[in-house]
Amino acid sequence: MINYPNFNIRSKNEIAKRISSRKLPQSEALALINDCLVDFDSLWVDNLKMSEPGKKKWVRDASRTKLGNLLSLIDKRIFAPYDTKLPSFIHGGVAGKGVKSAASSLLGKRRKRMLLKVDMSRFFEHVSSERLKYALIHKLGFSREAALIICKLCCVDAGPKNGLEKGKTIARGFATSNRLAIWCNLELFYRIKWLTEKRLGRYDARLAIYVDDIGITASRIPPKTMANFYSGLIVLVNKYGNGLEINHGKTRIINYLGNQFSVNGEPAVDNGGSPVKGSYEVLGIRMERNRVTAGRRTIGKIQSLKSRKSLTIPQKKSLKGLEKYKRYIGS
């Protein structure tokens, strides 16, 4: 059974009250909400650099606008306080938990581990405005009035702005999107947890969900057993995912030695018949016996920059940031 928290938000005035502060009195917060509702379409744009039209992924940008400010306040003051009500295996979009905590949670206590990496396709786009409204009203304690306001502020038309696609979905890129998508998919995430415990519990299985990335590790597990579990996971997502799809092309089964396996449990081979090797990594972080370290992509970028005879100012800043990130992951 899933115990959803009761946000107990009944009206526009209650939303304004929750996001208000000394710097933003409730009357001004209410005016901000009304302005954003009236001018909504002019307060966001498509971020074409970040979007992937071929994959039907459109990143929306409301930064430096009244809407961006309002969404940030809603996210921090209405939804973030309830992060503690989320299960421990949820990491992305949760305060104080990120890629490092997700990777660290997968280390487990037993050795000789195997990793299953699963990527969800169009994670935000599959959550329709209607589905969000249902979750807010029937699971999270919002009134119909308050739920409609949240939906109007946090959802946009599917496809490119001013395009021909019909229907509204959670806006990829808005400050509220991660937490809203998590709450809307919480039942599915719990079912994945229950399936993991049922099928892989005796292998010291660990689960970490970071937004649309799922990582599962288990100790001394036969590759075919992990492959069979993946087949069961597909059935589960198809049944309870409300249109959510798995990106099978990005699915990886790999063990601690870097040996990769196909989704039927056989050793993966390239076109020449040679075994496919990989890195025992999740979310760009390498998992070692008792710790996590920066992944090969991060290390490669650092080495590439250090090998240059001279660096531009942006490159120096990039190198400094990468080295700081490397220290953070390894600390």
Side-chain angles (χ1 to χ4, degrees), residues 13-197:
N13 283 328
E14 180 62 27
I15 296 174
K17 181 180 179 181
R18 295 281 184 100
I19 68 172
S20 64
S21 63
R22 287 185 179 180
K23 293 183 178 180
L24 183 69
Q26 185 174 342
S27 60
E28 293 183 17
L30 184 60
L32 176 62
I33 294 171
N34 287 329
D35 288 346
C36 289
L37 288 172
V38 172
D39 300 327
F40 179 78
D41 285 337
S42 65
L43 296 175
W44 64 273
V45 296
D46 287 336
N47 186 329
L48 298 179
K49 288 185 178 180
M50 299 293 292
S51 298
E52 299 178 81
K55 298 180 180 179
K56 295 185 178 181
K57 292 182 179 180
W58 297 92
V59 178
R60 323 298 184 162
D61 184 6
S63 61
R64 298 179 297 278
T65 70
K66 291 185 292 185
L67 177 62
N69 181 39
L70 175 59
L71 292 172
S72 180
L73 290 172
I74 291 174
D75 184 54
K76 292 178 181 177
R77 296 179 182 169
I78 293 180
F79 291 105
Y82 289 87
D83 284 352
T84 56
K85 303 297 183 180
L86 290 167
S88 60
F89 58 85
I90 301 293
H91 295 266
V94 179
K97 299 174 73 175
V99 291
K100 182 180 177 181
S101 69
S104 297
S105 71
L106 293 173
L107 292 177
K109 295 181 179 179
R110 301 179 194 168
R111 308 306 177 196
K112 298 183 179 180
R113 302 189 71 80
M114 181 171 290
L115 166 69
L116 169 64
K117 293 193 293 184
V118 180
D119 176 77
M120 299 292 188
S121 297
R122 304 182 73 240
F123 180 66
F124 299 101
E125 291 79 4
H126 93 285
V127 182
S128 67
S129 177
E130 284 298 313
R131 187 169 163 223
L132 173 58
K133 182 177 70 173
Y134 179 88
L136 291 171
I137 296 173
H138 297 284
K139 296 181 179 181
L140 299 177
F142 283 69
S143 70
R144 178 178 174 80
E145 176 192 345
L148 286 173
I149 291 170
I150 295 297
C151 289
K152 287 179 180 179
L153 293 171
C154 300
C155 297
V156 299
D157 290 334
K161 188 172 185 178
N162 299 323
L164 300 178
E165 290 190 43
K166 296 181 179 180
K168 291 183 179 292
T169 69
I170 287 179
R172 177 184 291 267
F174 279 7
T176 50
S177 296
N178 280 357
R179 287 187 170 93
L180 290 178
I182 288 171
W183 285 114
C184 286
N185 286 284
L186 193 57
E187 180 181 349
L188 172 64
F189 292 159
Y190 265 107
R191 289 186 180 277
I192 292 173
K193 174 65 172 177
W194 297 332
L195 182 69
T196 302
E197 292 174 344

Side-chain angles (χ1 to χ4, degrees), residues 277-292:
K277 301 287 286 187
S279 182
Y280 187 60
E281 294 184 4
V282 63
L283 299 168
I285 297 176
R286 179 172 176 76
M287 295 182 292
E288 299 183 357
R289 184 168 182 175
N290 296 308
R291 62 171 188 160
V292 295

Side-chain angles (χ1 to χ4, degrees), residues 281 284 286 293-306 319 322-323 325-327:
E281 294 184 4
R286 179 172 176 76
T293 59
R296 59 181 179 180
R297 188 173 182 180
T298 300
I299 299 300
K301 288 181 178 179
I302 291 174
Q303 292 175 343
S304 176
L305 288 170
K306 283 187 172 181
L319 178 59
L322 287 167
E323 290 183 323
Y325 175 75
K326 177 185 174 183
R327 291 193 298 270

